[in-house]
Amino acid sequence: MSPLGFHESTVLRLLQEYRVSRRDRIVVLTCKPLVGGVKRAYESLRALCTTQGFPDPDLVELECSSFYQSFRAVYSRLLDLDAEEYVLEVGAGLRILGYTAMLALLRLGRPFKVHYEPEAGSLNPQEIPWEFIEVVIRGLSPSEADILEIVLGSPGITIGEIASVTGRKEKSVRNIVSQLRKKGLIDKRGRSENLYPTQRATALYPEKSRS
């Protein structure tokens, strides 16, 4: 899903990067009324999708003068889709369309990634994974938060050392660490399985990180 501005190139690069197949669905958002520049971009995107074997993009026109009407329309469209995961581009088109789509996806409660590629400028494309978004929204369990705080404060600590500090069994610590690794918050290195916080973890909890 992506807003659509006067240039279709950002959306096309997104489709190429994620290797979209004909089984996938492409939804592009724009405001009513459909202006000439956006119409030309959409027609060009459709033609390029046909030549490159992508599915035909679905254009959703929103009443941008009313956020709540726009939100309802996007959310209703998402309810019609049955996808395991969504990718949202927020670097194309009007920013409010990207924010509306993001809030609708959060309301839907299904995993999604946020992709950002500016239509102009020298910034590299960025991806925000669902695992990061989920922690922002839901936080960590008390046991996960306790273990991560220890790792943030003592990079390189081992599972055995955490068990000794916390009084937990090593098996219990290992299970919690496994969950934190799945969320991309901890790295395990070396034969001693030393634990280090990831950049994702230090971004989420800078107040707990050791400088």
Side-chain angles (χ1 to χ4, degrees):
M1 176 173 281
S2 173
L4 182 64
F6 293 160
H7 306 284
E8 73 283 354
S9 55
T10 298
V11 180
L12 184 63
R13 285 193 295 270
L14 178 74
L15 304 181
Q16 294 168 338
E17 180 177 340
Y18 285 93
R19 299 180 181 179
V20 170
S21 73
R22 289 196 175 276
R23 297 189 304 272
D24 295 317
R25 306 289 291 276
I26 305 169
V27 179
V28 290
L29 309 173
T30 191
C31 294
K32 296 178 181 178
L34 188 63
V35 298
V38 176
K39 184 177 181 180
R40 286 190 293 272
Y42 177 65
E43 291 173 348
S44 177
L45 179 64
R46 287 189 66 191
L48 290 166
C49 284
T50 298
T51 59
Q52 297 195 29
F54 298 136
D56 197 40
D58 179 15
L59 180 66
V60 179
E61 297 180 57
L62 303 174
E63 189 60 64
C64 292
S65 60
S66 171
F67 168 77
Y68 297 110
Q69 287 185 36
S70 296
F71 179 90
R72 178 176 178 176
V74 174
Y75 182 64
S76 297
R77 186 69 188 88
L78 288 170
L79 287 174
D80 292 336
L81 302 176
D82 186 21
E84 294 181 0
E85 186 178 50
Y86 299 79
V87 178
L88 172 64
E89 172 61 57
V90 295
L94 293 175
R95 300 295 179 261
I96 187 61
L97 297 177
Y99 302 148
T100 303
M102 187 184 302
L103 290 169
L105 283 164
L106 289 171
R107 173 68 179 87
L108 191 68
R110 295 178 188 169
F112 67 95
K113 299 174 182 177
V114 174
H115 187 273
Y116 174 70
E117 181 178 346
E119 292 182 314
S122 58
L123 291 177
N124 293 324
Q126 302 285 326
E127 181 186 272
I128 306 172
W130 168 247
E131 291 80 8
F132 182 89
I133 297 169
E134 187 176 30
V135 175
V136 170
I137 298 167
R138 300 173 183 170
L140 298 172
S141 70
S143 57
E144 289 172 337
D146 288 344
I147 300 301
L148 182 59
E149 183 172 358
I150 292 171
V151 176
L152 284 164
S154 303
I157 195 169
T158 65
I159 288 175
E161 289 169 340
I162 293 176
S164 177
V165 168
T166 61
R168 299 175 185 270
K169 294 182 179 179
E170 283 198 24
K171 182 179 179 180
S172 175
V173 174
R174 192 172 296 276
N175 289 337
I176 297 168
V177 167
S178 177
Q179 292 301 314
L180 291 170
R181 292 183 70 201
K182 287 179 182 178
K183 295 176 180 180
L185 300 175
I186 283 179
D187 281 335
K188 188 189 293 184
R189 305 176 196 167
R191 297 179 62 182
S192 299
E193 297 186 324
N194 301 88
L195 305 177
Y196 295 87
T198 63
Q199 186 178 22
R200 192 181 300 180
T202 56
L204 284 165
Y205 301 99
E207 73 281 3
K208 299 181 185 296
S209 303
R210 193 178 76 180
S211 302

